[in-house]
Amino acid sequence: MDIVLGAHQYGKAEVRLVHVVRHGDRHQLTDLTVSVALAGDLADTHRTGDNAKVLPTDSQKNTVYAFARRHGVGEIEDFGLRLARHFVESQAVITRATVHVQQHGWDRLGEHSFARSGAETRTATVTVDGSGAVVVSGLTGMVLMNTTASEFHGFVRDEYTTLPDAHDRVLATAVDGRWRHATSESDDWAASFTQARRHLVEAFVGTHSLSLQQTLYAMGQRVLEHRPEIVEVRMSLPNRHHFLVDLAPFGLDNPNEVFYAADRPYGLIEGAVRRDDAPRWEESWWQA
């Protein structure tokens, strides 16, 4: 029986980078977590331990810091492209470099004072190989809630079903979303991200939801209708259940006012919305 090496990659994960640009007394703060994954002709190190073709992960970490100092950071899509192209172009054996960047938000308190903002994180994943570059922007942890205009009924019932029909419910989720750009060139990554995020939110707000699946589709559809530079949107939407509390034992009614917010278990709705003429996106759902 022959034993062969399957698909493999390696890199430095979760490099923490804080970059401060000092414009006189007014500073600009960028807080990133950067992960690098490299793939190519690396079979020897797996089979025999020969590291002659291996760029140490410590060197990859140092490259992240050096590039921030030498070139600045700017938009995270541009930063990811610079890094990924560097690794492919500088390392003869590397045929694919993937750089995943998370940007953590800070609210300005003064000229050089900041407070960490909420759980929402902006993301970018850049993959460079011999055929070109693919840029995927996105966000995680965008918490949204509609306190009405949400229903769920008409579903399958079997002997284990106890869930009642809901004609007016709270709909809450924490959006993990990613969207693929048509090209790796952009004059304004920041505007593209801001507008894509705005359309996700506006679709959530404006959709009278009969299911979270319907809401997911509406959110992706709106982004594609308004942002021609984006060809596919993928989302993972946990249903953050809010259950009506039974107040009858206390002699009180509860006209959809008091809820128990359950953190688990939860429904998880995932899906992609894309242009029908867009090239297939072969990467796995949440591959860094």
Side-chain angles (χ1 to χ4, degrees):
M1 177 182 68
D2 292 332
I3 297 175
V4 298
L5 176 66
H8 55 281
Q9 63 181 17
Y10 83 109
K12 200 67 163 181
E14 298 192 20
V15 178
R16 294 288 292 115
L17 166 65
V18 175
H19 185 245
V20 179
V21 177
R22 302 172 187 274
H23 301 292
D25 291 335
R26 185 175 178 85
H27 298 173
Q28 177 182 332
L29 176 67
T30 304
D31 184 352
L32 305 179
T33 299
V34 182
S35 295
V36 177
L38 306 181
D41 181 14
L42 299 164
D44 289 347
T45 190
H46 287 275
R47 293 186 178 126
T48 68
D50 182 352
N51 296 320
K53 299 176 181 178
V54 175
L55 178 70
T57 65
D58 189 67
S59 302
Q60 298 171 36
K61 173 202 69 179
N62 293 340
T63 303
V64 171
Y65 293 133
F67 268 47
R69 178 67 184 95
R70 182 174 293 120
H71 307 292
V73 174
E75 299 302 321
I76 59 175
E77 290 85 356
D78 288 325
F79 190 56
L81 281 165
R82 285 195 294 272
L83 287 167
R85 285 170 174 157
H86 164 78
F87 289 122
V88 171
E89 292 168 2
S90 66
Q91 302 298 312
V93 303
I94 297 302
T95 57
R96 189 188 75 238
T98 298
V99 178
H100 180 65
V101 187
Q102 298 171 282
Q103 183 171 356
H104 311 291
W106 290 82
D107 296 324
R108 182 177 292 279
L109 300 177
E111 295 296 278
H112 54 266
S113 301
F114 305 85
R116 181 68 182 267
S117 57
E120 183 177 332
T121 301
R122 179 179 169 183
T123 67
T125 302
V126 176
T127 300
V128 173
D129 59 19
S131 63
V134 176
V135 178
V136 178
S137 300
L139 53 80
T140 64
M142 181 172 70
V143 180
L144 302 174
M145 178 186 292
N146 283 332
T147 55
T148 190
S150 174
E151 307 179 39
F152 187 60
H153 49 79
F155 45 82
V156 172
R157 294 184 178 277
D158 65 9
E159 64 270 32
Y160 302 110
T161 301
T162 60
L163 186 70
D165 287 342
H167 296 276
D168 185 9
R169 66 172 183 169
V170 170
L171 182 66
T173 189
V175 179
D176 283 357
R178 307 174 71 205
W179 45 93
R180 178 167 51 114
H181 295 270
T183 74
S184 60
E185 305 298 326
S186 173
D187 294 330
D188 197 339
W189 293 111
S192 178
F193 172 82
T194 298
Q195 292 303 311
R197 182 188 183 282
R198 177 174 72 86
H199 289 301
L200 289 174
V201 172
E202 290 183 356
F204 181 87
V205 172
T207 300
H208 186 111
S209 178
L210 300 179
S211 67
L212 189 51
Q213 288 91 331
Q214 177 197 10
T215 299
L216 181 150
Y217 185 84
M219 293 168 73
Q221 180 182 32
R222 183 178 175 96
V223 171
L224 296 178
E225 287 175 346
H226 289 83
R227 302 306 303 177
E229 77 276 15
I230 296 171
V231 297
E232 183 170 354
V233 180
R234 294 185 177 185
M235 280 176 284
S236 177
L237 303 183
N239 195 342
R240 292 195 164 183
H241 300 297
H242 286 66
F243 297 112
L244 202 64
V245 177
D246 181 11
L247 300 178
F250 317 114
L252 299 170
D253 64 358
N254 191 358
N256 274 0
E257 290 186 3
V258 181
F259 299 87
Y260 165 64
D263 61 348
R264 64 193 64 179
Y266 53 85
L268 181 61
I269 311 304
E270 297 177 299
V273 185
R274 66 179 183 89
R275 303 185 191 280
D276 60 6
D277 59 349
R280 293 285 181 175
W281 189 0
E282 299 297 339
E283 88 169 359
S284 61
W285 273 96
W286 306 110
Q287 176 181 318

